[in-house]
Amino acid sequence: MSDNHAAATSTRMDMKLEIVVLPVSDVDRAKTFYAKLGWRLDADYASDVGDFRVLQFTPPGSGCSVIFGRNVTSAAPGSAQGLYLIVSDVVAAREKLLAEGLEISEVFHDAAGVYVGEDEHYLFGSLRAAGRDPDGRSYRSFASFKDADGNHWLFQEITTRQPGRIEAAATTFNSAAELAATLRRAGAAHGVHEKATGGEYDVNWPDWYAEYIVQEQAGGALPS
């Protein structure tokens, strides 16, 4: 292997998940459902003879979209299971669906690592306990719903990422409310910081806030 080839293969190549294919039986019914979720319709293309149709929807704040249609996939309608939608407030996300007249489960958390049970499988097992995670842990609170064909979705509440989960440069917010909540956490932490440094006004607070927010999203070490 040449040095040039070795250097090329060692360079990181971005591989961004762009599309998830959903198998549906009624295209227009599915279109109505995902529109009611508030997802952006990016495309609705059909061939001239009507033997092919594809629609693309993108959830708010998502870099990945879904497509479905006619003769798009040979998978059985409803066979897409365990599709995760990350939200900062699972209760608010659930209430939004209810306001649109859509069915969704109660908020639940995992039953202390019980991986078998009568409930549907999800990331932390197959036995659901009612309500948000009692310890308020990120990643551990859910609500689930299905489209008309039975394709299965879960809201997963994430407020703080695990270390190394995302790059610091990729700091993003899906809504003004999510940014405001992050600023409140940064403000509370900065208040503790000011007390620890003598209680004097910190003229560099914007830098401190910025570092806190970036590191919180990236799962890094928070400033103290």
Side-chain angles (χ1 to χ4, degrees), residues 68-114:
F68 55 84
R70 183 180 182 189
N71 290 328
V72 170
T73 175
S74 58
S79 59
Q81 302 292 305
L83 302 169
Y84 282 71
L85 295 165
I86 305 308
V87 296
S88 59
D89 186 332
V90 69
V91 172
R94 177 180 180 274
E95 289 176 349
K96 181 173 177 59
L97 262 65
L98 290 174
E100 294 296 335
L102 301 175
E103 294 184 6
I104 183 169
S105 76
E106 298 289 340
V107 173
F108 65 91
H109 63 281
D110 65 294
V114 178

Side-chain angles (χ1 to χ4, degrees), residues 17 20 22 78-86 108 120-125 128 142-147 150-156:
L17 182 61
V20 172
L22 299 178
S79 59
Q81 302 292 305
L83 302 169
Y84 282 71
L85 295 165
I86 305 308
F108 65 91
E120 295 176 85
H121 282 90
Y122 62 101
L123 184 62
F124 290 102
R128 303 177 176 190
F142 307 86
S144 66
F145 63 95
K146 298 178 181 180
D147 67 13
N151 293 305
H152 182 254
W153 294 91
L154 293 107
F155 284 141
Q156 181 183 31

Side-chain angles (χ1 to χ4, degrees), residues 190-206:
H190 187 259
V192 175
H193 165 75
E194 283 189 323
K195 289 181 180 179
T197 55
E200 295 183 2
Y201 175 72
D202 179 13
V203 297
N204 294 317
W205 68 264

